[in-house]
C-alpha cells in the first residue's frame, strides 16, 4: 500500500513539473528530492552527489560527445550536400526514384552521426529543394524524411544505444552489432513502401527525371560518397574487428571527419568552433538528464517501488509477448511528451527488473526500446523530427505527422518482426560471442 501511495505522489509531481515546462533533468531531480523527503530516510546530499558523479563517471559515456561532434561537423560541411549528387544516379530508375535518396541518404548519414535530429535536418535541407523542384509529391517528401530520419537512433553508432548501454551496464559494442540488421530491415521496409506507392500512384510521380547516365558516369559521380564510406569503415570497422572500443572509434571518427572536411576545403575556424559548441551543448543536456535520472533511480530503490512493481508483474505471470505489448504502449505514450533519451533514462530503473523476470535479453530489449522510441520521434506533440521538419518546410506539425503515419506503422511492423524473430537482433551479437 505504501508503494502505491509513493508511486501516485511521485507520478503527480513529475507530471506537474513536466506540464509546467521545467527542464526534464530538473523535473527528475525534484521528483527524486520529493521521494527522498517523503518516503526514505537517507542523507539526500550524499545520495545526490554520489549518483550524479556515478552517472557520468563512465568511460563508455565518453563516446557520446564525440559521436555528436562527428554529426555536427558533417552537418556544417559541404560533405553532406554530396549525399544527393552521389546517390541520385543510382536511384533514378527505381520505382519511387529520387524519393529513395531521403531513405538511403538518411541511412548513410545515420551510420556516421548517431543522431536522429541531425540526420533529419542534414538530409532534409539538401533533398527538399531538389525534390520539390522536380515536382515530387510533397506528402511523400516529408513522410520519407520524417520516417527515415529516425534511423539515426538505430543504425550504429547510435547515441541512444550508448545511453541505454551505460544505464543497464551492457556492452556498447554488442548493442551496436545488434542494431545493424534491424536498421537495414527498417530501411528496406521504407524503400519497399515507397516503391509500391510509386507503382500504384504512377500519375503522381514526375515524368522524365531519369538522366540515362552510363555506368562509368554513375561511378564517377559517386566518388563524392567516398568520405562517408571511409568514415563508416573507419569508425564501425574498428569497433567490429575489435581494434578499438566505441570511445576510441569515436575519437578516430572525429579526426577522420576533420581531415575529410579539411581535404574538401570546408574546414574553417568558425566551422570548428560552431561544431564543437553544438556538440558541447547537446552533450551537456544529455549528461544533465542522465544525472537527474540517476538520482531518481536511487530514490526509487529506497522507496521499493521497482521491487514491488517487479513482484506484481511476476505474480501476474505475463508472457513475454504480453509484457512487450504493454511496454510498447507505455513508451509510445511517454514519447508523446518526452524526448527519446528522457524516455530511456526515466524508465530503465523500473522496466529492466520486469523485463528480466520474464527472461527477455537486455540486448534485444535495447533494440526494441530504440525502435519504439523511433516512433515517438514522429509522434506529436513532442516528436523531435516533426519539429525539425516544421522548421525546414514551414508546414503545420499535424500535417507533417499525418504524412509520417505510414512510416510510424512500418516501425510497428519492424517491432513485430523482431519480436517474432528475435534472431534478427541477436544474430550478430551471438556471432561476436562465438
Amino acid at each position: 500500500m505504501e508503494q502505491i501511495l509513493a508511486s501516485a505522489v511521485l507520478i503527480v509531481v513529475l507530471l506537474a513539473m513536466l506540464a509546467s515546462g521545467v527542464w526534464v533533468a530538473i523535473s527528475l531531480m525534484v521528483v527524486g528530492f520529493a521521494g527522498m523527503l517523503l518516503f526514505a530516510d537517507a542523507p539526500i546530499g550524499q545520495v545526490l552527489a554520489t549518483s550524479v558523479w556515478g552517472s557520468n563517471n563512465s568511460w563508455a559515456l565518453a563516446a557520446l560527445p564525440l559521436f555528436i561532434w562527428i554529426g555536427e561537423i558533417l552537418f556544417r560541411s559541404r560533405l553532406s550536400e554530396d549525399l544527393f549528387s552521389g546517390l541520385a544516379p543510382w536511384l533514378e530508375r527505381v520505382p519511387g526514384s529520387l524519393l529513395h535518396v531521403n531513405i538511403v541518404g538518411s541511412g548513410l548519414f545515420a551510420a556516421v552521426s548517431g543522431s536522429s535530429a541531425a540526420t533529419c535536418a542534414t538530409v532534409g535541407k539538401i533533398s527538399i529543394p531538389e525534390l520539390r523542384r522536380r515536382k515530387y509529391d510533397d506528402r511523400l517528401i516529408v513522410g520519407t524524411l520524417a520516417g527515415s530520419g529516425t534511423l539515426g537512433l538505430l543504425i550504429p553508432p547510435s547515441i541512444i544505444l550508448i545511453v541505454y548501454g551505460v544505464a543497464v551496464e551492457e556492452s556498447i559494442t554488442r548493442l551496436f552489432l545488434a542494431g545493424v540488421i534491424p536498421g537495414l530491415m527498417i530501411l528496406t521496409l521504407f524503400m519497399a513502401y515507397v516503391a509500391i506507392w510509386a507503382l500504384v500512384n504512377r500519375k503522381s510521380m514526375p515524368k522524365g527525371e531519369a538522366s540515362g547516365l552510363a555506368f562509368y558516369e554513375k561511378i564517377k559521380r559517386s566518388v563524392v560518397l567516398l568520405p562517408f564510406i571511409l568514415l563508416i569503415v573507419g569508425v564501425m570497422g574498428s569497433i567490429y574487428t575489435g581494434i578499438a572500443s566505441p570511445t576510441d572509434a569515436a575519437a578516430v571518427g572525429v579526426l577522420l571527419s576533420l581531415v575529410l572536411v579539411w581535404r574538401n576545403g570546408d574546414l574553417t575556424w568558425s566551422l570548428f568552433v560552431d561544431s564543437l559548441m553544438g556538440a558541447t551543448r547537446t552533450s551537456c543536456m544529455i549528461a544533465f538528464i542522465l544525472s537527474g535520472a540517476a538520482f531518481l533511480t536511487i530514490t526509487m530503490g529506497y522507496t521499493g517501488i521497482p521491487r514491488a512493481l517487479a513482484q506484481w508483474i511476476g505474480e501476474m505471470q505475463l508472457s513475454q509477448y504480453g509484457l512487450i505489448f504493454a511496454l510498447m504502449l507505455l513508451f509510445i505514450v511517454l514519447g508523446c511528451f518526452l524526448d527519446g533519451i528522457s524516455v530511456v533514462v526515466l524508465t530503465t530503473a523500473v522496466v529492466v527488473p520486469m523485463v528480466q523476470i520474464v527472461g527477455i535479453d537486455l540486448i534485444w530489449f535495447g533494440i526494441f526500446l530504440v525502435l519504439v522510441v523511433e516512433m515517438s520521434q514522429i509522434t506529436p506533440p513532442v516528436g523531435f523530427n516533426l519539429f525539425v521538419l516544421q522548421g525546414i518546410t514551414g508546414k503545420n506539425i499535424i500535417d507533417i505527422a499525418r504524412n509520417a503515419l505510414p512510416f510510424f506503422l512500418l516501425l510497428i511492423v519492424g517491432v513485430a518482426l523482431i519480436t517474432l524473430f528475435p534472431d534478427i537482433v541477436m544474430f550478430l551479437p551471438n556471432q561476436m560471442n562465438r
Side-chain angles (χ1 to χ4, degrees):
M1 188 65 186
E2 184 180 344
Q3 280 80 22
I4 295 175
L5 175 62
S7 301
V9 170
L10 295 181
I11 288 172
V12 168
V13 173
L14 178 61
L15 291 177
M17 295 294 294
L18 293 175
S20 63
V22 176
W23 288 357
V24 171
I26 297 293
S27 299
L28 296 178
M29 286 190 175
V30 169
V31 174
F33 269 107
M36 281 289 189
L37 287 171
L38 297 175
F39 306 108
D41 186 20
I44 297 178
Q46 293 179 22
V47 172
L48 177 63
T50 55
S51 60
V52 169
W53 171 255
S55 65
N56 291 285
N57 183 28
S58 168
W59 179 241
L61 204 57
L64 192 65
L66 294 174
F67 279 125
I68 295 171
W69 194 9
I70 294 172
E72 292 282 345
I73 293 168
L74 295 179
F75 176 73
R76 288 171 168 80
S77 75
R78 205 172 23 168
L79 286 177
S80 58
E81 298 174 12
D82 293 337
L83 269 177
F84 193 94
S85 56
L87 290 172
W90 299 98
L91 298 170
E92 343 177 269
R93 295 189 180 276
V94 180
S97 195
L98 298 183
L99 288 168
H100 293 291
V101 172
N102 282 349
I103 300 170
V104 180
S106 294
L108 280 174
F109 195 83
V112 293
S113 76
S115 166
S116 174
T119 299
C120 191
T122 303
V123 178
K125 74 171 184 177
I126 304 159
S127 68
I128 288 176
E130 284 290 328
L131 294 175
R132 281 180 169 172
R133 184 174 62 81
R134 299 172 192 233
K135 309 295 186 188
Y136 279 87
D137 190 294
D138 213 51
R139 293 171 300 171
L140 218 54
I141 294 175
V142 174
T144 51
L145 273 173
S148 54
T150 63
L151 293 170
L153 293 180
L154 182 58
I155 294 180
S158 163
I159 292 169
I160 204 166
L161 281 177
I162 296 174
V163 172
Y164 173 80
V166 170
V168 301
E169 298 181 356
E170 275 289 352
S171 164
I172 306 296
T173 303
R174 292 189 72 218
L175 284 166
F176 279 2
L177 281 169
V180 172
I181 297 178
L184 295 175
M185 177 189 73
I186 295 298
L187 188 143
T188 303
L189 285 174
F190 287 172
M191 292 186 71
Y193 168 77
V194 170
I196 293 169
W197 188 95
L199 291 172
V200 172
N201 300 275
R202 291 179 185 272
K203 293 181 179 179
S204 298
M205 295 298 295
K207 306 295 181 186
E209 80 262 18
S211 60
L213 294 173
F215 181 77
Y216 172 75
E217 187 63 27
K218 290 182 179 180
I219 294 289
K220 187 177 178 181
R221 292 198 180 188
S222 298
V223 170
V224 294
L225 295 176
L226 279 177
F228 283 93
I229 295 170
L230 285 172
L231 269 176
I232 294 169
V233 171
V235 175
M236 304 314 300
S238 60
I239 294 174
Y240 296 155
T241 56
I243 297 173
S245 70
T247 304
D248 299 330
V252 170
V254 170
L255 181 61
L256 280 175
S257 299
L258 291 172
V259 169
L260 291 170
V261 172
W262 168 77
R263 182 74 178 79
N264 210 37
D266 289 339
L267 184 58
T268 62
W269 180 248
S270 175
L271 182 146
F272 181 84
V273 171
D274 289 347
S275 64
L276 182 59
M277 291 307 297
T280 301
R281 282 190 292 268
T282 304
S283 302
C284 288
M285 179 268 291
I286 294 172
F288 198 18
I289 292 174
L290 283 173
S291 300
F295 180 52
L296 180 57
T297 299
I298 298 295
T299 300
M300 298 287 272
Y302 276 108
T303 61
I305 293 173
R307 184 173 59 254
L309 191 56
Q311 183 179 354
W312 178 59
I313 293 293
E315 291 171 353
M316 288 177 63
Q317 296 184 333
L318 277 178
S319 67
Q320 287 188 357
Y321 292 143
L323 181 60
I324 287 168
F325 180 73
L327 290 177
M328 185 174 76
L329 294 179
L330 170 66
F331 291 136
I332 289 175
V333 171
L334 287 176
C336 292
F337 304 98
L338 299 170
D339 65 277
I341 290 174
S342 300
V343 171
V344 171
V345 296
L346 182 60
T347 58
T348 300
V350 177
V351 167
V352 166
M354 297 157 51
V355 167
Q356 290 175 317
I357 279 179
V358 299
I360 296 175
D361 188 282
L362 288 183
I363 295 290
W364 181 93
F365 183 72
I367 303 304
F368 161 80
L369 180 55
V370 169
L371 272 173
V372 179
V373 167
E374 281 186 355
M375 299 179 199
S376 71
Q377 297 292 295
I378 51 178
T379 306
V382 191
F384 271 23
N385 285 15
L386 301 183
F387 286 125
V388 170
L389 286 172
Q390 185 182 37
I392 296 174
T393 65
K395 293 172 70 74
N396 183 283
I397 199 165
I398 300 301
D399 290 336
I400 297 173
R402 192 180 298 116
N403 296 335
L405 179 60
F407 300 91
F408 177 89
L409 298 176
L410 287 172
L411 288 171
I412 293 179
V413 171
V415 170
L417 287 173
I418 67 166
T419 302
L420 295 173
F421 308 103
D423 279 347
I424 294 173
V425 174
M426 299 305 300
F427 176 74
L428 288 180
N430 289 341
Q431 295 303 309
M432 176 186 171
N433 287 345
R434 295 194 184 102

